[in-house]
């Protein structure tokens, strides 16, 4: 709802204040990564790394990491 209302900062604060156990936390971390990818790719990368640790079999996390690497010109790593 906050994102639809264009309140990205409030959405980020809400997502940062909540944490779930294990793989259930991956969607929160992926959303945080996507919200921060334009302004702070390093922070987005860190969120995706954390999500990958919590759920290493999640294909979405691997896809987002590859896209982030491609966006910064690291195609061979992607």
């Amino acid at each position: 709802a906050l994102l639809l209302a264009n309140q990205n900062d409030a959405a980020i604060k809400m997502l940062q204040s909540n944490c779930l156990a294990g793989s259930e936390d991956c969607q929160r971390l992926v959303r945080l990564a996507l919200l921060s990818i334009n302004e702070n790719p390093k922070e987005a990368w860190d969120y995706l790394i954390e999500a990958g640790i919590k759920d290493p079999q999640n294909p979405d996390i691997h896809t987002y990491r590859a896209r982030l690497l491609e966006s910064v010109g690291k195609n061979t790593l992607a």
Side-chain angles (χ1 to χ4, degrees):
L2 292 171
L3 293 175
L4 292 174
N6 203 25
Q7 296 179 2
N8 291 356
D9 291 337
I12 290 169
K13 287 180 184 177
M14 185 191 79
L15 288 168
Q16 288 174 335
S17 69
N18 296 316
C19 185
L20 301 171
S23 63
E24 295 175 4
D25 200 33
C26 285
Q27 290 303 317
R28 178 187 74 86
L29 293 166
V30 168
R31 284 191 172 96
L32 280 167
L34 295 175
L35 286 168
S36 62
I37 201 164
N38 290 330
E39 293 180 21
N40 192 343
K42 170 69 171 114
E43 183 177 55
W45 180 257
D46 291 342
Y47 284 130
L48 292 173
I49 292 293
E50 187 177 349
I53 290 169
K54 290 185 177 193
D55 189 4
Q57 302 303 317
N58 186 321
D60 292 333
I61 296 165
H62 298 291
T63 301
Y64 291 132
R65 286 173 58 184
R67 287 183 182 169
L68 178 56
L69 287 168
E70 287 176 341
S71 74
V72 295
K74 300 196 183 246
N75 295 338
T76 56
L77 291 175

